[in-house]
Amino acid sequence: MKLFSRKNKSEPDTAPQVVLLVEGMHCASCGLLIDDELEDVPGVRSAATDVRAGRTVVVLDEGAHVDGAALVTAVQAAGDYTARVAD
């Protein structure tokens, strides 16, 4: 498990993104755990979780086709969280 992301968090505005709505987070550590799991999914460039807003912005690699279910599964693997892809 990584403690800090080694991936670049500053992404161009044109990078494809997926927004996840996440429930069950209590602190900043929850967000870091979720980001870490999401960044291990192939095709994910970076993830940034806002615990207070209950959402995660996942930035994908150019041309990557990442299934929303894979992202939800990664969030669940981080702990006792539920997630869904925002409309």
Side-chain angles (χ1 to χ4, degrees):
M1 173 171 64
K2 300 181 301 251
L3 293 178
F4 298 100
S5 174
R6 289 170 280 171
K7 296 186 178 188
N8 185 2
K9 294 283 185 181
S10 60
E11 305 297 337
D13 292 336
T14 59
Q17 298 181 353
V18 176
V19 176
L20 300 173
L21 303 178
V22 183
E23 295 180 7
M25 299 182 291
H26 305 289
C27 63
S29 293
C30 294
L32 292 173
L33 290 170
I34 290 168
D35 291 348
D36 188 44
E37 287 293 330
L38 286 166
E39 290 174 353
D40 286 341
V41 174
V44 171
R45 184 178 299 171
S46 65
T49 299
D50 182 336
V51 175
R52 288 185 181 179
R55 61 182 244 149
T56 301
V57 176
V58 181
V59 179
L60 306 176
D61 292 328
E62 290 294 330
H65 299 286
V66 179
D67 182 44
L71 299 176
V72 169
T73 299
V75 170
Q76 293 169 338
D80 191 24
Y81 311 111
T82 58
R84 66 180 174 87
V85 176
D87 297 330

